Amino acid sequence: MPPTKKNLKSNRRGNPASRAAQPRTRRDGAPSAPAGASAGSAPAGAPPGPAPAQGVQGVPPGLTSPQTTPPGLAPGKAAGQNSPPGLAPAGVAGQSLPAGLAPAKAPGQNMPPGLAPARAAGQNPPAGLAPAKAAGQNPPAGLVPAKATAARPAAAASGRSRGTAEAAPPETVEPDTPPVSNADDDVPKWAAKAVEELLTPTYWLDPGESGEPFSATVRFSGRRTDVTGKLQPRDSFWQEETVDGIIPGSGPVAITAEVRGINPGEWTVTARSVARVGGRPYRSYPPPGHDPAGVYRVPPPRRVEIPAEPAATIHTSTLLRSKVPGIVRYAYATLVGLGVLVGLGLEALLLSHGHYSLFRPMLFSVIAILAGVIGGKGWYVAVHRGKKFDGWCIQGFVAGAAVVVAAAALAGPGIPAGAFLAAAAPALLIGMSIGRPGCFWAGCCTGRPVAARWGIWSSDRRLGCRRAPAQLLEALSALISGVVVLAVVLADGLAQSGPVAVVGLAAYTLARQVILGLRAEPRVWQYGRRVTGAIAVLALIAGIILLVK
């Protein structure tokens, strides 16, 4: 609030409260009673003028003697007399003050927060300060109570630091420096995710040998050890991972977390189990009292090593260089690429064996592979309803490649259509049997956790345990179908073996629908397997009929 407007004539009279406390001269020359003094309180026969205060002669009621009142103290009041507006009554020693009134203080004495010091009569208040008020008292006419304008920024700052909902929203303030633009805004999310530095800590537990499936929650916490200067928010973290469907007898079990949004460097990470209401107790693996120098591994045929003691420090790395138990990086790309090369080579050998030209058939085969890659990605995105883009679907690859091969056979690849189909089918199936195990080591298309001895320990990059080897079973079915087709082609020749391509692809598709029941991922469409299986059965019957003829 701006300071109180000053008297243009002089500052002698002060504010209305001070003027009310000053005696006024009447026309007869006698001083008049100050505001708040009762005229009827004077004794009978007293001369005109103010009545003397009790115990003090010659002093108007409500005012103390100038000789005994130190500067800065409020004037005393008689009992029952109202104080002038804006002045706090002076308390008598040993007397309790009414609620909302504060005793006057001597000069130099510290005042409680929120109280203004009393002023002598005629003294103007400092700029920006308002006279002290009793609780519930209205200010005199013409005065506006002072507002705590200086306290607003402090209150807003404390609200921001606490982050509570009760704090009033701060006013918009221009930053001292412009905000730094994020350089990764133009980078696709999948690319930024691939190059981001992260941590992949792992917690090993023993699920036991019997009981019902249960869930486990593990809390990972860490702090960066190579911090220079002040600790930043991205230099520490804590993250909980909850895994459901852990089956006793499928262990040892590895729970791995992907910690993102942290600063790169050396980290000390700890992991501990979190007990939940109604949860089943479990213990870490190796169990307490183990040999620190011992070597522990998962059940055969996998020989994944289990550390006897957790690593003291972990260094951040990109996703492709991170270490997860049971995951072999670059295995997927290596095996898929090898499968493509083996398939193309096998097709070229079959065409050469039948004395056919290679250029046009091989060109169509390369186009079919590209169409299969696009079909695999499109099928994967469609199955996950546009929520995931980081994978492929082998069924989409087969569908895309089959469409191009069929179109090439009708358009004329430069050789008889039957010969082209007979050469492409075994190459496609045997190539998939080589590339499909890459999913097993990459942690995708995983099977359900099982306790059976035929299960193989593998990981989906988050939960490692004994699982149904769905990827390896698919590879085996593709290999069997491809070998059978190849044997028929070599026995009957390319020109007569066109229908066998339809039979081989239909048999593989039908077997795959059965194997999909072993997968861990939930079904997106409950009729998908049935519809695909019915189409495969029809194609299988039609292929057999054409082959017999």
Side-chain angles (χ1 to χ4, degrees):
M1 165 182 174
T4 307
K5 185 177 180 180
K6 297 181 179 180
N7 193 333
L8 297 178
K9 295 182 180 181
S10 69
N11 292 333
R12 176 179 57 83
R13 301 181 66 182
N15 54 34
S18 300
R19 292 198 302 270
Q22 294 178 2
R24 300 180 182 178
T25 304
R26 299 189 305 181
R27 292 183 179 181
D28 56 1
S32 62
S38 174
S41 61
Q54 296 181 358
V56 181
Q57 299 295 330
V59 181
L63 298 179
T64 57
S65 175
Q67 291 81 7
T68 60
T69 304
L73 291 183
K77 294 198 306 178
Q81 183 180 3
N82 295 328
S83 300
L87 294 181
V92 181
Q95 181 180 0
S96 61
L97 293 177
L101 297 182
K105 295 181 179 288
Q109 184 177 0
N110 293 332
M111 301 294 295
L115 295 182
R119 298 181 303 278
Q123 183 179 0
N124 290 329
L129 294 181
K133 289 198 308 177
Q137 183 180 0
N138 295 326
L143 290 183
V144 180
K147 297 181 181 180
T149 56
R152 289 182 180 177
S158 64
R160 287 194 297 268
S161 63
R162 293 192 301 268
T164 57
E166 292 79 9
E171 299 180 358
T172 304
V173 181
E174 292 294 333
D176 297 336
T177 58
V180 180
S181 61
N182 189 0
D184 296 336
D185 290 343
D186 298 333
V187 179
K189 290 184 178 180
W190 63 269
K193 188 176 180 180
V195 300
E196 181 185 7
E197 295 277 335
L198 53 83
L199 289 174
T200 54
T202 300
Y203 177 83
W204 291 85
L205 64 90
D206 183 7
E209 295 298 332
S210 61
E212 297 294 329
F214 64 96
S215 62
T217 301
V218 179
R219 173 172 294 181
F220 297 91
S221 59
R223 182 179 295 270
R224 193 159 69 95
T225 59
D226 53 354
V227 178
T228 56
K230 185 178 179 181
L231 192 69
Q232 301 297 325
R234 291 165 61 97
D235 291 332
S236 62
F237 77 91
W238 72 269
Q239 177 174 320
E240 286 189 355
E241 294 288 336
T242 300
V243 179
D244 300 323
I246 299 178
I247 298 179
S250 63
V253 173
I255 299 178
T256 303
E258 283 190 4
V259 183
R260 298 180 180 271
I262 58 176
N263 290 329
E266 291 283 346
W267 287 75
T268 299
V269 181
T270 58
R272 64 180 182 87
S273 60
V274 180
R276 299 297 186 190
V277 177
R280 171 181 170 177
Y282 53 89
R283 61 182 183 180
S284 60
Y285 190 89
H290 63 278
D291 183 9
V295 178
Y296 301 89
R297 299 183 185 275
V298 301
R302 299 292 302 275
R303 304 301 296 167
V304 179
E305 185 174 348
I306 303 174
E309 298 291 340
T313 59
I314 307 176
H315 198 282
T316 57
S317 62
T318 59
L319 182 62
L320 295 179
R321 293 189 295 108
S322 61
K323 295 182 179 180
V324 178
I327 300 299
V328 180
R329 298 298 183 185
Y330 305 105
Y332 180 83
T334 302
L335 291 177
V336 169
L338 180 61
V340 170
L341 294 178
V342 171
L344 291 176
L346 178 60
E347 182 181 3
L349 290 176
L350 291 175
L351 292 175
S352 299
H353 181 73
H355 305 286
Y356 293 105
S357 62
L358 299 180
F359 178 73
R360 285 176 62 87
M362 297 302 297
L363 179 61
F364 278 111
S365 297
V366 172
I367 296 175
I369 292 174
L370 296 178
V373 171
I374 296 174
K377 176 64 71 175
W379 197 295
Y380 181 87
V381 174
V383 165
H384 292 87
R385 300 179 181 180
K387 298 180 180 179
K388 290 185 178 181
F389 301 88
D390 57 348
W392 280 268
C393 181
I394 191 65
Q395 195 160 306
F397 179 86
V398 173
V403 169
V404 174
V405 169
L410 296 176
I415 61 175
F420 177 69
L421 293 177
L428 176 62
L429 292 170
I430 293 177
M432 286 193 302
S433 69
I434 297 174
R436 194 58 173 161
C439 297
F440 179 82
W441 281 293
C444 63
C445 309
T446 55
R448 299 196 309 262
V450 295
R453 299 303 175 186
W454 56 269
I456 300 178
W457 201 97
S458 61
S459 174
D460 61 355
R461 301 189 295 269
R462 186 167 181 259
L463 174 64
C465 61
R466 182 179 284 155
R467 296 174 178 270
Q471 312 97 318
L472 301 182
L473 293 176
E474 285 189 36
L476 180 61
S477 64
L479 179 62
I480 294 174
S481 301
V483 170
V484 172
V485 172
L486 179 60
V488 174
V489 168
L490 293 177
D492 296 343
L494 290 177
Q496 305 296 327
S497 303
V500 76
V502 179
V503 174
L505 292 175
Y508 165 75
T509 303
L510 186 60
R512 187 174 185 272
Q513 303 313 306
V514 177
I515 297 173
L516 286 178
L518 301 175
R519 295 272 286 270
E521 59 188 13
R523 300 178 184 177
V524 179
W525 185 34
Q526 59 179 348
Y527 302 107
R529 291 171 53 196
R530 299 178 183 178
V531 172
T532 306
I535 296 175
V537 168
L538 295 177
L540 180 62
I541 295 174
I544 293 175
I545 293 174
L546 293 175
L547 185 62
V548 171
K549 291 182 177 180

